Amino acid sequence: MTKTGTRFTRLPFARWLIAEGTILVVLSVLWNFESRLAGYSALLGGLIHVIPNAYFAHRMFRFQGARNMRLMVGDLFRAESVKLALTAVFFAAVFILIEPVHAPALLFTFAVMVVVSAALRWFIQPQTQR
């Protein structure tokens, strides 16, 4: 039996989470040099990005194969909607429930994590299954 193509790939979620977590901790420590308020605001800004994206990745890549295409497409729209809703709820919760917030640190770290997440797609390549 000859192999005509490669199988679906296994996505490296652990490496992705470790990379984003490390960058988030480094950014939080750097903001902590300005003030403790800026440090934990930066941590919250990064978590506002990481948690919804981890949920999206978990939901999106549950199904594989052409037979599950209908399930995959339906799950894509649901997962993206929930991810956007989680992001909005987390931002609202931080600004409503946490009284002293360093907004520049929070928003800057969120923006940096968005860019880092896009860059990690280029640096961490999926591995083919054997």
Side-chain angles (χ1 to χ4, degrees):
M1 180 191 284
T2 62
K3 191 172 184 181
T4 58
T6 59
R7 295 181 66 186
F8 280 97
T9 58
R10 187 175 62 94
L11 299 170
F13 290 122
R15 290 192 319 183
W16 172 76
L17 281 174
I18 290 170
E20 280 201 343
T22 303
I23 293 168
L24 176 57
V25 168
V26 167
L27 284 171
S28 297
V29 168
L30 290 175
W31 275 104
N32 202 30
F33 287 129
E34 180 175 329
S35 71
R36 174 166 271 170
L37 173 65
Y40 83 79
S41 294
L43 182 65
L44 289 174
L47 289 176
I48 289 172
H49 174 75
V50 171
I51 292 171
N53 276 348
Y55 171 80
F56 175 79
H58 166 71
R59 293 288 299 188
M60 189 56 225
F61 298 108
R62 290 186 316 158
F63 305 111
Q64 289 184 350
R67 293 181 185 159
N68 295 322
M69 186 60 66
R70 196 176 86 231
L71 294 172
M72 290 169 59
V73 171
D75 224 19
L76 168 74
F77 291 113
R78 278 189 294 277
E80 182 65 25
S81 299
V82 171
K83 180 182 95 165
L84 291 173
L86 279 175
T87 303
V89 166
F90 287 161
F91 266 118
V94 164
F95 283 117
I96 291 171
L97 299 175
I98 299 175
E99 183 58 33
V101 175
H102 192 269
L106 183 118
L107 297 173
F108 178 80
T109 306
F110 179 81
V112 168
M113 293 306 293
V114 169
V115 172
V116 164
S117 181
L120 283 177
R121 291 186 190 113
W122 292 99
F123 294 119
I124 298 177
Q125 296 295 320
Q127 302 165 346
T128 57
Q129 293 179 351
R130 293 181 182 197

